[in-house]
Amino acid sequence: MYMPWPLPDENWFADASNQFEQDREDVRIEALVAQRLSVDWTTRRQQISVCVQNRVVILTGVVSDSETRQVAAELAYDVPGVFDVCNTLRLSGQRRSRR
């Protein structure tokens, strides 16, 4: 018989109604980060997608230089409620190596 082992942060007996509040918070954070990125002169014309899961902002897309990549992460960190930022933005012209 297989018995799943819970992760330390998991609470299988917790009230599931809290999930709705967490989802609303993620949507709020996602909107605020996207708004900040679209207003800032450094990041407004870049191809940046924003996704939020459990208050962690995930930035994906292509930017023109490393300064823009860093500014995008800093703008995301400055939004209230953000726990962490996963910056996976790539630089334009940067190619993946083939193995």
Side-chain angles (χ1 to χ4, degrees), residues 12-54:
W12 290 5
F13 304 105
D15 186 14
S17 64
N18 190 27
Q19 183 65 35
F20 178 72
E21 288 297 321
Q22 185 175 359
D23 290 344
R24 274 189 20 190
E25 179 69 8
D26 287 348
V27 170
R28 183 190 70 79
I29 291 171
E30 186 173 326
L32 287 173
V33 171
Q35 180 184 20
R36 285 197 179 182
L37 293 174
S38 67
V39 171
D40 189 85
W41 68 274
T42 309
T43 56
R44 82 173 96 188
R45 297 186 192 262
Q46 306 296 318
Q47 299 173 2
I48 302 174
S49 297
V50 179
C51 179
V52 179
Q53 294 177 349
N54 299 325

Side-chain angles (χ1 to χ4, degrees), residues 63-99:
V63 293
S64 59
D65 57 15
S66 60
E67 178 187 353
T68 304
R69 184 178 188 272
Q70 179 154 354
V71 167
E74 290 171 359
L75 289 170
Y77 267 118
D78 288 341
V79 172
V82 171
F83 180 73
D84 198 8
V85 175
C86 177
N87 189 351
T88 62
L89 293 172
R90 292 182 295 125
L91 301 178
S92 62
Q94 185 180 42
R95 298 185 180 212
R96 295 183 190 174
S97 61
R98 295 185 181 181
R99 294 183 181 190

